[in-house]
Amino acid sequence: MREQTCWLPRHPKSPRNARQELRSFLLAHPSAELLLPTGELLLSELVTNAVTHARAPRGRLIFVRLQLLPHGTLRIEVHDADSEKPAPHPASLTSESGRGLFLVRELASEWGCCPRRGGIGKFIWCHVSASPRGGRRVSAVRAGISGIMLPTVFPSLDHALPVLWDQVRRRPVRAAHRDFIRLCIGPGGGDGVAECLSRSGRWSVTLYIGDMTDWTAHPITITTHSP
């Protein structure tokens, strides 16, 4: 079992540094292309939560452990010095906060929260699998947003949609257009995309960023993927 660990400060740059650690850890791994998109998103969200919400004394660091388990499953652990477990509450990907555990529940094959052994605080762990979880939309897809997100292979459409929507929700998009995109790829969406992929192997919609007088077009494209 491979393992890599690091300590991070409670700093806004720590999520980015954690993602770099994960990319280094998965470098040359045969399933890196499938593990990395979901792994980066979940690791970033968990570290962001530890930076933003953990009630810990000044100077306490965040500990990250990355492991490759049998059958190629990626295990992520994020430790902080706050012993209070996060309280799950209804959240959606349109929220500016509270998305971390929502994404973990949606994308991880397993997850949990445990007290740290021999010390104060807790850690949240999750498993990311290169194989689909057995949902309705299990075929591998390649998805990207022109000018924003390079085409990336995901083990299933259900893995791809939250990552795409997470990119959209960060952008300055008019409310009506955002609502339309949300119906396509946001929480609870995707049925129309799945149907289109089953018929033609390709689905696309254009994301318009900006206002009525100053905007740029960024096609969102999803295609079926055969290794």
Side-chain angles (χ1 to χ4, degrees), residues 137-152:
R137 304 184 288 252
V138 298
S139 299
V141 300
R142 183 181 296 271
I145 306 175
S146 178
I148 295 176
M149 174 183 150
L150 292 173
T152 302

Side-chain angles (χ1 to χ4, degrees), residues 29-186:
H29 187 272
S31 296
E33 188 179 33
L34 296 175
L35 292 170
L36 196 56
T38 303
E40 278 192 313
L41 179 59
L42 298 189
L43 176 59
S44 183
E45 289 292 336
L46 292 179
V47 172
T48 297
N49 281 357
V51 169
T52 306
H53 301 298
R55 298 176 181 177
R58 182 184 295 272
R60 288 283 186 172
L61 301 178
I62 298 165
F63 180 70
V64 174
R65 175 181 284 120
L66 306 171
Q67 295 176 322
L68 277 172
L69 305 179
H71 310 297
T73 297
L74 170 67
R75 180 181 173 91
I76 296 171
E77 295 181 11
V78 176
H79 299 233
D80 63 58
D82 184 353
S83 297
E84 184 177 352
K85 291 186 177 182
H89 57 85
S92 72
L93 292 174
T94 57
S95 304
E96 291 301 318
S97 62
R99 301 179 308 116
L101 288 184
F102 174 82
L103 288 168
V104 170
R105 288 196 299 262
E106 289 294 302
L107 297 178
S109 56
E110 297 180 75
W111 75 282
C113 181
C114 306
R116 296 182 66 194
R117 293 181 180 176
I120 64 171
K122 66 178 182 303
F123 68 94
I124 297 178
W125 61 270
C126 65
H127 291 176
V128 178
S129 174
S131 301
R133 289 183 298 172
R136 291 174 298 137
R137 304 184 288 252
V138 298
S139 299
V141 300
R142 183 181 296 271
I145 306 175
S146 178
I148 295 176
M149 174 183 150
L150 292 173
T152 302
V153 175
F154 294 88
S156 74
L157 181 59
D158 289 329
H159 284 77
L161 294 181
V163 178
L164 291 171
W165 176 246
D166 191 58
Q167 291 290 336
V168 171
R169 58 164 295 280
R170 302 180 193 179
R171 316 292 164 173
V173 180
R174 289 186 298 115
H177 185 50
R178 183 189 299 272
D179 288 344
F180 167 70
I181 299 295
R182 185 180 187 277
L183 288 173
C184 295
I185 64 173

